[in-house]
Amino acid sequence: MKNIFRLEETPEEETSEVDVTDKREESFFIDSLVKQMKLTDEQKSHYYRYKSSYYCYYLQNGDSAILYADSVLLLLKKLSPEKYPNAFAMAYYTKGDALYASNLFNEAYTFYYKARQFKSTQTDFCSQKEVQYRDWE
């Protein structure tokens, strides 16, 4: 099985830097499309969460994942937590995931805890569908 993140492979499997470059080119292409769109702050937060996860799991670049997670939190400062409770909970989970992927476990736990505490203040259980699967009880 090919490992596209490592440049050294067994003789029968060769992977080049082009594979990694192609992933980054995909990301740049998506970025260029999104920049042309007029997105609401909530839509931008979804996009930054996607980018954080993309860097965290697909490119395995924890530092960039943290930057995008921070962007989500910064963007949400403009919004009301009462109006967008799921966006806030998911932003905390995203930051926790990025920190966890960077082996910053104590910091990650702090954000997981914030997300859980934030989620527990919601009373509309139907609106919790996006964050409910993250519950560890």
Side-chain angles (χ1 to χ4, degrees):
M1 178 173 209
K2 248 183 179 177
N3 184 345
I4 55 181
F5 296 109
R6 290 181 40 201
L7 296 178
E8 37 191 72
E9 297 290 326
T10 59
E12 56 274 4
E13 294 181 333
E14 287 188 9
T15 303
S16 67
E17 289 182 25
V18 176
D19 291 332
V20 174
T21 304
D22 287 343
K23 287 181 189 177
R24 291 201 174 108
E25 286 176 5
E26 289 171 12
S27 179
F28 293 142
F29 177 72
I30 292 170
D31 285 342
S32 69
L33 292 176
V34 170
K35 285 180 185 176
Q36 297 172 18
M37 302 171 80
K38 293 184 181 191
L39 302 176
T40 66
D41 287 339
E42 185 180 19
Q43 290 170 327
K44 287 178 187 174
S45 75
H46 284 283
Y47 175 69
Y48 288 143
R49 281 188 12 237
Y50 162 77
K51 290 292 287 190
S52 179
S53 297
Y54 181 83
Y55 276 94
C56 187
Y57 302 112
Y58 192 58
L59 293 178
Q60 297 182 345
N61 183 337
D63 293 337
S64 293
I66 290 171
L67 290 175
Y68 277 104
D70 286 338
S71 296
V72 175
L73 292 172
L74 183 64
L75 183 66
L76 289 179
K77 284 186 177 184
K78 300 178 193 176
L79 302 178
S80 164
E82 292 79 27
K83 190 172 180 183
Y84 300 99
N86 287 340
F88 278 83
M90 289 304 295
Y92 289 134
Y93 279 127
T94 300
K95 176 73 181 228
D97 290 343
L99 291 166
Y100 189 88
S102 296
N103 297 324
L104 299 169
F105 304 116
N106 289 333
E107 293 88 345
Y109 178 79
T110 300
F111 281 91
Y112 289 142
Y113 183 76
K114 283 182 181 182
R116 184 173 165 78
Q117 290 302 102
F118 193 89
K119 185 185 73 129
S120 69
T121 63
Q122 299 177 41
T123 56
D124 180 11
F125 296 108
C126 292
S127 70
Q128 291 185 17
K129 69 182 182 321
E130 191 173 345
V131 295
Q132 190 65 33
Y133 77 96
R134 305 288 309 249
D135 202 2
W136 57 76
E137 282 187 323

